Amino acid sequence: MTFKDALSPERIVFLDSGSRADAISDLVPLLSNLPGMPDADKMMVAFLQREEMMSTGIGMGIGVPHIRMLEISDLVMAVGIHRTGIYDYPALDNLPVKIVAMIAAGVSQHGEYIKMLSNIVMVLKSAETRELILATSSVEEIYHILCEG
Amino acid sequence: MHGTFNLSILAILGICTAGGVIGAWVFQKLRIPQVVGYIVIGVLIGETGIGLVTPQDISDLLPFNNFALGIIGFLVGGELHGTLFKKYGKQFTLILLGEGLATFVLVGVTSTLIVFCVCHNWVNALAAGVVFGAIASATDPASTLDVLWEYRSAGVLTTSIIAIVALDDALAMTLYGLGSSIATILTQSDGASIGGALLHTGFELFGAIATGAVFGFVLNAMMRYMPQTERRLGISLGIILLCIGASVAFNLDVILSTMTVGIVLVNTAPRRSKKLFEVIRSFSTPIYIVFFVLVGARLSLKGMPAWIWGLVLAYVLMRSLGKWAGSYWGGYISGAERPVRNLMGMAIFAQGGVAVGLSIVASHNLQHIIVTEGISLGDMIIFTVTATTLCVQLIGPAFTKLAITKAGEIGRNITESDVMAEFTVNDVVNTDITPLKEATLLSEVIHHFSEQDTFVYPVVRENGEICGIVTFDMLKELLNKPDTWQWLLARDIMQPVQEHLTASMNLEEAIQTLLSIQVDALPVVENLENNRLTGVLDIRTARYKVRAELMRRQAATI
């Protein structure tokens, strides 16, 4: 499972919202509007419940809100870029989260889900890649960077 | 229309099966082996009883009777591993000769004396005695083995009983071959010779063994190319039926030939044939039931002169004494273990198909010899063997049970499946596993797996309700991705619980559930209403506990 399989340029947006909840609520419709996905409210609740348990800010300015739901059949992703950083998104290294990679998968997609999570970490742990993503203003360009890894 | 009501063969089979099951149930409640129940039901619905099953019906069902004998023979053969004969060969031979010859002599002498008192003719009396002696040496393998299987018996006595009753037919037929030809020579009918009789018997015995061996090797060869159980079952039944058909066509002993098929199979392909014998045994019960009910129905005790009851009594007593004393002598000479020496005799009292069959043949051959007014030697043999068969079929299984009880061998042939059928999930559930909370970090989850000996952890909500499981398989993919250990939670990787096991569920059913959804373990809840976790059932631990219980029970019976 790679970015190419789960993401498309239309699901990459630039965020201007200030909070973690706002960022999630901006990204959720990009996924809930896809065919065969649960409605936005239901997904929102699931993402927030997960964040309540423990923040998905994994460090290096990356946030990975992720859920698995029974109603979802295909693993899909949306990416939000926040140039200044989301102020209330706790992270393991306390750095502000600037790249939000949202994942929604089905409950039976354990293997793909784990691979996607690890792929995100692998691609974005390169400081050079993160800087390139944050520097560009084209979603196609960001898509290309993520896919090329 | 003949003015009488005739039941169809299928209706008779139905009555026999259902009636036999009810009879067995009643007798089991009275702690009497079920085979006695089948025979009593047969007597009640047969010629001696209400006549629901007529001699014509029994004659029509002869092919079925042969099929049942074939299945019995095949299963007996399956019990006879070559290693048994290597270990106990001398012992089996001496016990067999001891019980067979002692019975032959005791019954023969006593019958001769009684018949002489009635007919005052030494020649006819001696002829009758020789035939009675030979017939009395036969033991019924079917009802004896049914008792062993019913009470799940295992041990040195059980092994010896199986071997002796399996070989007994051959000895009885040899003695009968000799006895009947001596009887014919004594009564000077057609100048038959002992050599001729021996040749004939030899043909019957070795013919049956050769036929069975050929079919056994053919079956083994065909099974190599048929790994599927269903196909193996089909081809085995086909081969057994062919073997029975060939034996009947050439007047060979059906039990002996199909027993040889079983012996060849179990000794040439023990692993391949293990499942097959299990499958055939699993559906053999209704066949046995009908067979034994028909044995009872066949027994006709009407119109028997009173003096024959004296002969019946003497026959039963002398036969029992012969079996017991002969087995003791054989066991003593061969240095057999104490239970075999002391208890073998009482375990092999049953008399069945072979004796009745030999009596029918004898009655045909000796019909011309008149013993007393209105009764030929043939009639007398039929009457006596029928009555004694009824007596010993009623007491024989009870004595077999007594013998294996005294030897402490009852219940030792239990399998894992038997224990599992008795256990509930609660008996083997692992309650030591601490469930994971939804918010447990992956690093902690991995630590839990390294600390405890389990392949599955239940994940619970704050209120203790189960919401999913984490298995070692799910973790494997994350073990080489330590970057994720500090931010993934148990909730992120758990699998929602799709199947629940309850603590009160039967263990066998629970294991079947695990196998059907191809998982090694599942969480167990108190009940489906409260969904509260009790522990985890994993196949490995469950099997370990079942085996431990099996060994404990087996050790307890020694």
Side-chain angles (χ1 to χ4, degrees):
Chain A
M1 182 59 71
T2 62
F3 282 95
K4 232 179 209 168
D5 301 316
L7 186 65
S8 70
E10 300 81 54
R11 295 204 294 275
I12 300 173
V13 291
F14 291 97
L15 303 167
D16 49 12
S17 45
S19 72
R20 172 171 62 165
D22 290 343
I24 290 173
S25 91
D26 286 347
L27 291 173
V28 162
L30 300 176
L31 300 183
S32 65
N33 287 340
L34 292 170
M37 295 297 280
D39 63 55
D41 290 345
K42 215 171 171 183
M43 289 182 77
M44 191 69 199
V45 169
F47 277 113
L48 292 180
Q49 265 182 359
R50 172 61 184 85
E51 292 298 323
E52 256 176 50
M53 257 176 212
M54 187 191 177
S55 172
T56 54
I58 66 171
M60 300 175 287
I62 307 163
V64 193
H66 54 273
I67 52 163
R68 284 192 301 162
M69 291 176 78
L70 209 60
E71 298 93 325
I72 300 174
S73 54
D74 282 323
L75 186 149
V76 284
M77 271 188 78
V79 172
I81 308 297
H82 197 289
R83 289 217 169 85
T84 54
I86 301 165
Y87 73 89
D88 67 343
Y89 206 138
L92 292 174
D93 56 5
N94 295 319
L95 290 174
V97 169
K98 293 181 177 175
I99 302 171
V100 182
M102 175 178 273
I103 304 175
V107 286
S108 59
Q109 291 179 296
H110 179 77
E112 294 97 316
Y113 178 66
I114 297 300
K115 273 187 195 121
M116 195 65 238
L117 286 170
S118 105
N119 217 2
I120 290 170
V121 176
M122 199 178 72
V123 171
L124 294 179
K125 79 177 169 189
S126 150
E128 196 185 338
T129 306
R130 292 199 302 273
E131 277 163 22
L132 269 174
I133 288 171
L134 290 171
T136 183
S137 55
S138 154
V139 292
E140 278 81 12
E141 185 68 17
I142 294 171
Y143 178 74
H144 182 74
I145 294 167
L146 289 171
C147 291
E148 295 304 306
Chain B
M1 293 288 287
H2 300 283
T4 53
F5 178 68
N6 288 321
L7 287 168
S8 73
I9 288 293
L10 287 177
I12 288 168
L13 288 175
I15 291 169
C16 290
T17 315
V21 170
I22 294 166
W25 179 76
V26 172
F27 276 78
Q28 270 189 323
K29 292 274 169 206
L30 301 170
R31 295 182 178 275
I32 296 171
Q34 58 191 10
V35 65
V36 180
Y38 306 148
I39 293 167
V40 168
I41 291 293
V43 172
L44 292 177
I45 64 173
E47 233 188 314
T48 308
I50 59 174
L52 199 61
V53 179
T54 64
Q56 183 57 47
D57 296 330
I58 292 165
S59 167
D60 291 344
L61 282 166
L62 191 63
F64 179 87
N65 200 49
N66 284 329
F67 175 58
L69 284 174
I71 293 290
I72 291 165
F74 181 71
L75 290 176
V76 170
E79 306 262 355
L80 301 177
H81 292 268
T83 46
L84 279 180
F85 287 96
K86 274 185 197 153
K87 193 172 174 187
Y88 298 114
K90 182 185 159 201
Q91 184 179 313
F92 291 163
T93 310
L94 286 171
I95 294 175
L96 180 71
L97 288 175
E99 58 90 14
L101 294 176
T103 307
F104 177 76
V105 171
L106 284 175
V107 173
V109 169
T110 312
S111 309
T112 303
L113 292 173
I114 292 173
V115 175
F116 176 75
C117 291
V118 175
C119 71
H120 307 291
N121 179 330
W122 276 115
V123 174
N124 286 353
L126 196 57
V130 168
V131 174
F132 277 130
I135 291 176
S137 67
T139 309
D140 180 28
S143 57
T144 311
L145 294 175
D146 195 80
V147 176
L148 303 183
W149 289 333
E150 182 186 353
Y151 293 101
R152 302 197 175 280
S153 173
V156 65
L157 177 64
T158 304
T159 307
S160 305
I161 294 170
I162 293 169
I164 297 298
V165 295
L167 301 170
D168 213 30
D169 272 10
L171 178 68
M173 286 176 66
T174 310
L175 289 173
Y176 174 78
L178 283 168
S180 65
S181 61
I182 290 170
T184 311
I185 292 163
L186 286 173
T187 52
Q188 298 172 338
S189 64
D190 58 358
S193 69
I194 293 179
L198 269 181
L199 203 65
H200 182 71
T201 307
F203 170 77
E204 282 189 3
L205 293 179
F206 290 106
I209 292 168
T211 307
V214 169
F215 281 110
F217 282 112
V218 169
L219 177 57
N220 183 27
M222 294 184 91
M223 276 175 62
R224 278 176 210 268
Y225 302 100
M226 294 181 185
Q228 304 91 338
T229 309
E230 298 79 12
R231 286 194 183 164
R232 282 185 173 178
L233 176 64
I235 195 68
S236 311
L237 287 178
I239 296 281
I240 292 170
L241 285 167
L242 277 171
C243 184
I244 295 168
S247 305
V248 171
F250 294 106
N251 281 324
L252 307 173
D253 183 40
V254 170
I255 288 195
L256 196 58
S257 61
T258 51
M259 193 172 79
T260 312
V261 178
I263 292 173
V264 168
L265 207 58
V266 81
N267 287 292
T268 51
R271 282 191 190 169
R272 209 167 25 234
S273 59
K274 192 174 175 228
K275 178 83 183 161
L276 178 69
F277 283 111
E278 279 173 19
V279 173
I280 291 189
R281 179 161 303 139
S282 69
F283 76 76
S284 64
T285 306
I287 299 172
Y288 277 14
I289 294 173
V290 176
F291 173 76
F292 286 119
V293 172
L294 290 175
V295 166
R298 194 181 294 119
L299 300 174
S300 172
L301 303 174
K302 285 180 181 168
M304 198 148 81
W307 65 267
I308 287 193
W309 284 107
L311 182 59
V312 168
L313 186 66
Y315 177 105
V316 172
L317 287 175
M318 287 300 123
R319 183 174 176 278
S320 306
L321 182 64
K323 291 276 175 194
W324 180 78
S327 300
Y328 183 87
W329 175 82
Y332 181 78
I333 297 284
S334 62
E337 286 91 335
R338 190 179 286 271
V340 178
R341 207 167 57 209
N342 295 346
L343 301 167
M344 170 61 87
M346 73 162 80
I348 53 173
F349 284 167
Q351 171 177 289
V354 172
V356 173
L358 291 179
S359 73
I360 292 167
V361 177
S363 74
H364 278 298
N365 295 343
L366 305 170
Q367 195 64 35
H368 60 284
I369 304 162
I370 301 300
V371 180
T372 181
E373 199 176 327
I375 294 184
S376 70
L377 183 54
D379 290 339
M380 189 181 72
I381 289 169
I382 283 276
F383 276 143
T384 310
V385 173
T386 302
T388 55
T389 300
L390 179 63
C391 291
V392 291
Q393 280 295 55
L394 296 182
I395 61 167
F399 273 99
T400 307
K401 183 190 168 192
L402 182 65
I404 53 174
T405 308
K406 277 181 170 288
E409 296 188 359
I410 279 186
R412 281 169 68 178
N413 196 16
I414 47 172
T415 60
E416 276 182 40
S417 181
D418 297 323
V419 177
M420 270 202 259
E422 285 176 32
F423 269 24
T424 62
V425 169
N426 205 33
D427 293 320
V428 295
V429 66
N430 186 353
T431 52
D432 296 336
I433 294 169
T434 322
L436 303 170
K437 293 275 166 51
E438 279 183 288
T440 309
L441 262 180
L442 180 57
S443 56
E444 259 183 75
V445 175
I446 289 169
H447 179 71
H448 274 281
F449 270 95
S450 66
E451 288 285 298
Q452 286 193 304
D453 185 24
T454 181
F455 290 108
V456 65
Y457 267 99
V459 182
V460 293
R461 297 197 177 95
E462 283 301 322
N463 62 5
E465 217 175 80
I466 185 160
C467 57
I469 52 168
V470 175
T471 67
F472 187 71
D473 263 0
M474 295 170 179
L475 279 190
K476 271 196 302 195
E477 295 173 58
L478 290 160
L479 290 178
N480 61 348
K481 296 177 179 76
D483 292 340
T484 62
W485 293 9
Q486 291 311 314
W487 52 272
L488 277 179
L489 306 179
R491 175 198 162 104
D492 298 330
I493 55 167
M494 75 179 190
Q495 195 70 34
V497 180
Q498 284 159 347
E499 285 281 351
H500 280 116
L501 300 177
T502 58
S504 59
M505 199 174 183
N506 173 260
L507 181 61
E508 201 167 24
E509 198 187 325
I511 300 276
Q512 283 307 319
T513 306
L514 290 172
L515 294 175
S516 67
I517 58 173
Q518 295 180 325
V519 294
D520 290 333
L522 276 179
V524 178
V525 292
E526 278 174 25
N527 56 57
L528 291 174
E529 283 75 43
N530 71 10
N531 233 8
R532 225 164 252 292
L533 185 80
T534 301
V536 170
L537 174 77
D538 81 86
I539 289 187
R540 205 176 46 133
T541 313
R543 291 215 161 119
Y544 174 78
K545 289 187 177 173
V546 166
R547 275 182 203 140
E549 174 64 14
L550 185 65
M551 285 170 73
R552 190 192 66 74
R553 290 193 193 182
Q554 286 172 340
T557 58
I558 294 172

